[in-house]
Amino acid sequence: MAYNVRHMSDNVFRNLPSVDRVLSHALVAELSVSREVKVSLCREAITFARDVAREGTELSLEDIVTRVREKADMLMHVGLVRVINATGVILHTNLGRSPLSKDALSAVQQSSVGYTDLEMNLEDGKRGSRYSHVENLLKQITGAEAAIVVNNNASALLLALASVAQNKEVIVSRGESVEIGGRFRIPDVMRASGALLKEIGTTNRTYVSDYEEAISDNTAAFLKVHASNFTQAGFTSSVKVEELLPLANSRGVFLMNDIGSGCLVDTAKYGLVSEPTVQESVGAGVSLTLFSGDKLLGGPQAGIAVGTKKTIDQLKSNPISRAVRIDKMDLAALVATLRHYLEDEFEEKIPVWQMVSASTDELRLRAEKWLESVPKAEIVAGESTIGGGSLPGQTLPTYTLAIAESNAQGGLDHIASRMRQASPPVIGRIDDGRFLLDPRSVLPEEDNDVVQALARV
Ligand SMILES: *Cc1c(COP(=O)(O)O)cnc(C)c1O
């Protein structure tokens, strides 16, 4: 018996093809991966065939070749896939927050296909500063004395705390000791920076007197954090920056203001509540204001700190600034995005503001165009949101293309999944028994892709 088993498996093993045989198979030879990668994939597939042979399954040469091709295909298809955001959430963090303007995109291309004057002064040929390009623009637009730009707002906060409050106390209201998302929690950032968190007040109410009583000889700063992804209602009270400044100034305490979204525009114009703007914070006299580049600013991922020259110099000279520095592509995109504000053309050029300012008439027309490809859908009035940690609870009126549960063959989840399998994938949302596609967060030039995906599904 034992002899038989041995004999059988010997046979099976003998039938396994050699690496050379798999490698020279036409369907492997034509693969575009390098020879080294092919050899390694063939070895792996043969090992797999040996393993399953031990369990009694014999794979043919074709099975092995198929496995090699599948593995090669998986390797070739890693990378970011362009998707269409029809969720109606304009700054969708999982979909990459803000799309770039055309000018920002071409600035990225220009800065990275060849070389740039990133850190060279073209007048004297000497070493220049990576920040000088963007600093003047930020000074002009925000009114601040100085600015530095880093990788993202989380690193701007880390850098700021480490630069002005290492081993010193930073006073934060309990109502603002928050989690922003993606594991970004104020107490954790504080600990990582070497600053000592001193929480004051209660979750719902904090007064100027709470800040005043908490000041000690070891207090370096007050930190205000904008509650960017939630709202508090009812019996609440928080201290405004303007109310806190006199105390900070008279006691020689820094005031840091993390405003999150980096809004440079009065959002009241669009029927939303006013998101705190960078200019307001700078104008009030805050020594350090921090914000993101890829939220309502509408640019690339970046963290921006603007403030007094003295404070910004402290941040620039901290070695952490090197560890969190911005790369040339983001810098190029940020400069191009800021120029849209300088030239007062943000509403026409920056996708996020095109989306916010789109009229319900326009949106309805686009949704009706989409409808032509799906007879069983309807146009339904709905609401878009800003998302991405800005204007929580605020909505903009919109018209969506809606597919009701009763018309969704295989159910709403099935329709949603089919739309995600389209090329490019279209992401919608399910709400109130319907699958919804909102044109507000879709770029107008992507309308055809939506129509095609709908026609297929
Ligand atoms: C979004 C946000 C951050 C984090 O910004 P990133 O650029 O994502 O690192 C920090 N603070 C506030 C208040 C935010 O809203």
Side-chain angles (χ1 to χ4, degrees), residues 55 97 111 115 156 160 185 207 257 261 278 280 302 310 323 364 370 382 399 409 433 435 437:
E55 264 129 50
R97 287 201 189 147
S111 71
Y115 298 96
R185 289 177 164 183
Y207 306 97
N257 192 17
S261 87
V278 181
E280 274 163 18
K310 188 166 158 257
R364 183 181 202 135
W370 296 358
Y399 284 97
Q409 263 179 30
F435 176 69
L437 295 174

Side-chain angles (χ1 to χ4, degrees), residues 97 152-154 180 184 225-226 228 258 260 292 295 389:
R97 287 201 189 147
N152 58 8
N153 195 20
I180 309 290
F184 177 79
V225 181
H226 181 49
S228 53
D258 176 4
S292 294
K295 293 185 180 170

Side-chain angles (χ1 to χ4, degrees), residues 76-97:
M76 296 299 284
H77 285 93
V78 285
L80 301 183
V81 172
R82 175 174 80 95
V83 307
I84 291 172
N85 174 12
T87 61
V89 182
I90 296 175
L91 298 168
H92 200 302
T93 299
N94 298 353
L95 302 181
R97 287 201 189 147

Side-chain angles (χ1 to χ4, degrees), residues 195-392:
L196 312 169
L197 170 65
K198 195 173 199 177
E199 287 187 0
I200 55 157
T202 58
T203 306
N204 57 336
R205 289 178 90 95
T206 304
Y207 306 97
V208 176
S209 56
D210 293 322
Y211 284 91
E212 186 159 20
E213 282 156 22
I215 298 175
S216 78
D217 289 346
N218 198 29
T219 301
F222 297 147
L223 171 65
K224 292 278 300 164
V225 181
H226 181 49
S228 53
N229 52 5
F230 67 100
T231 52
Q232 271 193 331
F235 188 61
T236 64
S237 167
S238 64
V239 178
K240 292 199 174 67
V241 166
E242 299 78 28
E243 299 170 283
L244 203 50
L245 263 170
L247 177 66
N249 290 338
S250 71
R251 301 295 293 270
V253 172
F254 256 119
L255 179 59
M256 280 188 215
N257 192 17
D258 176 4
I259 61 170
S261 87
C263 188
L264 295 167
V265 177
D266 184 5
T267 44
K269 187 182 160 195
Y270 306 100
L272 300 161
V273 299
S274 289
E275 175 81 358
T277 66
V278 181
Q279 296 94 319
E280 274 163 18
S281 179
V282 172
V286 172
S287 40
L288 198 59
T289 304
L290 310 170
F291 51 99
S292 294
D294 56 356
K295 293 185 180 170
L296 279 177
L297 197 145
Q301 178 185 308
I304 303 165
V306 298
T308 57
K309 180 158 188 320
K310 188 166 158 257
T311 320
I312 297 295
D313 282 346
Q314 270 178 275
L315 269 60
K316 284 180 181 165
S317 59
N318 187 320
I320 291 177
S321 69
R322 174 65 179 77
V324 296
R325 82 177 181 188
I326 188 163
D327 75 288
K328 64 181 177 184
M329 290 190 262
D330 283 320
L331 192 57
L334 183 62
V335 167
T337 307
L338 289 171
R339 263 197 207 119
H340 295 313
Y341 291 94
L342 191 74
E343 299 182 24
D344 199 19
E345 58 177 18
F346 61 89
E347 218 179 78
E348 302 86 63
K349 295 286 182 75
I350 299 178
V352 167
W353 290 107
Q354 291 174 316
M355 291 169 181
V356 170
S357 64
S359 72
T360 44
D361 286 346
E362 269 170 77
L363 297 169
R364 183 181 202 135
L365 279 176
R366 290 174 57 201
E368 280 165 2
K369 267 259 170 298
W370 296 358
L371 186 65
E372 288 166 15
S373 59
V374 259
K376 284 193 172 165
E378 57 192 326
I379 305 294
V380 171
E383 287 171 338
S384 320
T385 56
I386 310 297
S390 25
L391 296 161

Side-chain angles (χ1 to χ4, degrees), residues 163-214:
S163 305
V164 307
Q166 188 128 56
N167 299 319
K168 298 211 177 121
E169 286 165 6
V170 175
I171 298 174
V172 184
S173 159
R174 285 207 167 77
E176 296 173 16
S177 187
V178 296
E179 173 168 323
I180 309 290
R183 293 277 172 90
F184 177 79
R185 289 177 164 183
I186 295 298
D188 297 341
V189 179
M190 200 73 87
R191 207 171 305 118
S193 74
L196 312 169
L197 170 65
K198 195 173 199 177
E199 287 187 0
I200 55 157
T202 58
T203 306
N204 57 336
R205 289 178 90 95
T206 304
Y207 306 97
V208 176
S209 56
D210 293 322
Y211 284 91
E212 186 159 20
E213 282 156 22

